[in-house]
């Protein structure tokens, strides 16, 4: 074993439990890698014993900057982790999604998280809770989709678990990535004056979800929603660019996800509505508020932004779209032709 992983769920743990945890980690001789951060690190004492990974235990910002579903193991400096749950009836409808598509999507959303940290995926863990009517043939088709994407990006499936579900399907994927420490991108690094970029058109997935909920399962936009494309190569390339400061992927919508960067960076932003790249068949509000586009959102040094955009276009054949700038004053301001537009827009919220 190389590390001890602990998955936190808000502040459910009594301090005595944490004392036992610290003792267990100390006795194991393994560094600690927190896979989920909410309030766990707030309760860690400053004198937490070695060999616990002091950079994690004593610096909540390291995990807080990555928010809830991924973390950096600083003890093993170039391993990064992402974990996501997909639940039937919440994240997908079985009637509208083939098992193969669902297998592919369950991995794609995790690879997108790894890419958003500037890393490349190397391995995954998969756990499934399956009802009786989703076994055998369904599972085989699910795994075909999962393995197809695994092979494309060289992310080996190295373990996991299965169990019976009394209700719907639940899927949990943990992805592991690698990146040099200097390439790791976080959400708390946006700086005043940075240019805000998005690496693709927005709103196709949200429009596709609208089609699915209306019973139109066979539209091109519905297919986009079911088959997201993680920007794996793009994320690793952007990770290597020092002018890129903050980065994340758009899973909950521009309005929410840009807000995460602003909150963690103690900054604000001005976004020009006319600059938001709306995907064909979608609309401006869906592009700003719809989720699951899985395009990379980043901020970059203004003095190098034009060169970054030109190099990206030459490398990938698609543009980085400038949306606006980071400001010192907190809050997200929408602009229409340079003038503030009072819009109460929000993306997807989990709870």
């Amino acid at each position: 074993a190389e590390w001890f992983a602990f998955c936190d769920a808000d502040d459910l743990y009594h301090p005595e439990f944490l004392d036992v945890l610290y003792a267990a980690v100390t006795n194991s001789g393994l560094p600690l890698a927190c896979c989920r951060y909410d309030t766990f690190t707030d309760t860690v004492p400053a004198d937490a014993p070695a060999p616990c990974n002091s950079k994690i235990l004593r610096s909540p910002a390291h995990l807080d900057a990555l928010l809830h579903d991924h973390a950096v193991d600083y003890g093993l400096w170039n391993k990064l982790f992402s974990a996501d749950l997909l639940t039937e009836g919440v994240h997908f409808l079985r009637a509208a999604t083939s098992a193969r598509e669902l297998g592919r999507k369950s991995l794609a959303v995790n690879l997108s998280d790894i890419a958003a940290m500037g890393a490349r995926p190397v391995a995954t863990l998969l756990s499934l809770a399956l009802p009786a009517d989703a076994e055998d043939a369904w599972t085989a088709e699910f795994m075909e989709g999962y393995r197809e994407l695994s092979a494309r990006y060289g992310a080996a499936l190295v373990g996991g678990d299965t169990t019976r579900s009394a209700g719907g399907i639940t899927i949990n994927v943990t992805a592991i990535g690698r990146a040099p420490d200097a390439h790791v991108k976080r959400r708390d690094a946006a700086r005043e004056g940075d240019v805000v970029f998005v690496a693709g058109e927005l709103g196709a997935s949200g429009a596709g979800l609208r089609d699915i909920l209306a019973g139109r399962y066979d539209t091109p936009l519905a297919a986009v929603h079911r088959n997201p494309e993680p920007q794996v190569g793009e994320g690793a390339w952007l990770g290597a660019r020092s002018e890129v400061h903050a980065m994340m992927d758009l899973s909950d919508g521009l309005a929410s996800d840009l807000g995460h960067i602003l909150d963690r960076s103690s900054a604000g932003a001005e976004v020009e509505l006319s600059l938001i790249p709306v995907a064909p068949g979608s609309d401006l509000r869906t592009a700003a508020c719809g989720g699951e586009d899985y395009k990379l959102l980043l901020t970059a040094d203004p003095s190098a932004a034009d060169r970054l955009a030109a190099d990206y276009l030459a490398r990938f054949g698609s543009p980085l779209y400038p949306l606006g700038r980071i400001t010192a004053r907190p809050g997200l301001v929408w602009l229409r032709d340079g003038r503030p537009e009072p819009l109460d827009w929000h993306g997807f919220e989990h709870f």
Side-chain angles (χ1 to χ4, degrees), residues 163-345:
T163 189
R164 177 67 61 85
S165 168
I169 299 167
T170 297
I171 305 159
N172 174 245
V173 176
T174 297
I176 303 168
R178 281 185 178 271
D181 189 51
H183 292 191
V184 176
K185 303 303 181 186
R186 303 173 179 85
R187 301 180 184 185
D188 66 347
R191 306 173 189 175
E192 182 181 359
D194 276 2
V195 178
V196 179
F197 285 107
V198 65
E201 295 176 330
L202 305 179
S205 181
L209 176 60
R210 190 161 56 225
D211 283 348
I212 289 171
L213 295 178
R216 300 186 295 269
Y217 299 160
D218 58 351
T219 68
L221 292 172
V224 170
H225 177 78
R226 294 191 300 264
N227 295 277
E229 290 291 342
Q231 295 184 306
V232 173
E234 294 90 334
W237 185 88
L238 289 164
R241 301 291 296 232
S242 61
E243 65 265 43
V244 175
H245 295 156
M247 187 161 70
M248 66 178 296
D249 67 331
L250 288 172
S251 57
D252 297 335
L254 175 65
S256 286
D257 289 328
L258 179 54
H260 295 325
I261 288 178
L262 302 183
D263 288 344
R264 302 303 160 183
S265 300
S266 299
E270 294 179 344
V271 171
E272 174 58 54
L273 294 169
S274 64
L275 295 179
I276 296 175
V278 180
S282 189
D283 58 87
L284 180 60
R285 180 161 187 167
T286 302
C289 302
E292 301 194 42
D293 281 309
Y294 297 106
K295 305 302 182 185
L296 294 172
L297 176 69
L298 57 132
T299 76
D301 187 328
S303 66
D306 289 344
R307 184 183 70 243
L308 175 71
D311 290 350
Y312 184 94
L313 180 61
R315 175 67 177 82
F316 297 104
S318 59
L320 283 177
Y321 295 92
L323 305 179
R325 291 187 180 271
I326 298 296
T327 63
R329 184 176 181 178
L332 173 56
V333 178
W334 304 103
L335 303 177
R336 191 180 298 276
D337 299 326
R339 297 180 179 179
E341 182 87 353
L343 298 173
D344 188 26
W345 283 2

